[in-house]
Amino acid sequence: MTIGNALNFIERGLHDSALRRRLNKASDAIEHEKILSEEKLMFSAGEFEDAYNHRLTLCQEEDEADQIKEFKMWWELLTGCTCGNTCSGCC
């Protein structure tokens, strides 16, 4: 698992509706993990949080930052994880 995978996930997730659709159809965290593994996009909650923060710093326009924030909200709603770096195993 790497922050690079999390960054790739954010970039792909922003533009790849098929990937988002597969993740939305998954019934639980195990299925999410299986899909991410198949796509070679495995990462931890902390790595996602680090990638998200890094990606936000690269935004040059407010609309782009809003899109990244919306993507994070979607992922948190999908996974039920809102703890970021302080994950205590809920993810």
Side-chain angles (χ1 to χ4, degrees):
M1 290 191 243
T2 68
I3 190 172
N5 286 351
L7 282 167
N8 288 338
F9 170 67
I10 291 169
E11 291 306 315
R12 279 198 51 202
L14 287 170
H15 306 289
D16 187 342
S17 60
L19 176 61
R20 288 191 313 271
R21 198 170 22 258
R22 283 181 66 202
L23 288 164
N24 284 332
K25 288 181 181 179
S27 60
D28 58 25
I30 293 170
E31 273 193 66
H32 293 143
E33 192 171 306
K34 181 181 175 195
I35 292 166
L36 293 176
S37 179
E38 289 170 358
E39 298 291 332
K40 298 184 179 19
L41 294 171
M42 294 296 296
F43 53 85
S44 69
E47 289 165 340
F48 179 83
E49 190 70 22
D50 289 344
Y52 164 77
N53 289 327
H54 173 74
R55 185 60 183 83
L56 262 184
T57 65
L58 299 177
C59 294
Q60 295 184 2
E61 298 192 19
E62 188 175 350
D63 288 344
E64 183 183 7
D66 288 343
Q67 187 179 26
I68 301 296
K69 290 174 186 175
E70 288 174 12
F71 182 81
K72 182 182 185 212
M73 286 191 319
W74 165 77
W75 182 242
E76 289 175 344
L77 285 170
L78 189 68
T79 62
C81 180
T82 59
C83 60
N85 285 324
T86 60
C87 185
S88 59
C90 69
C91 309

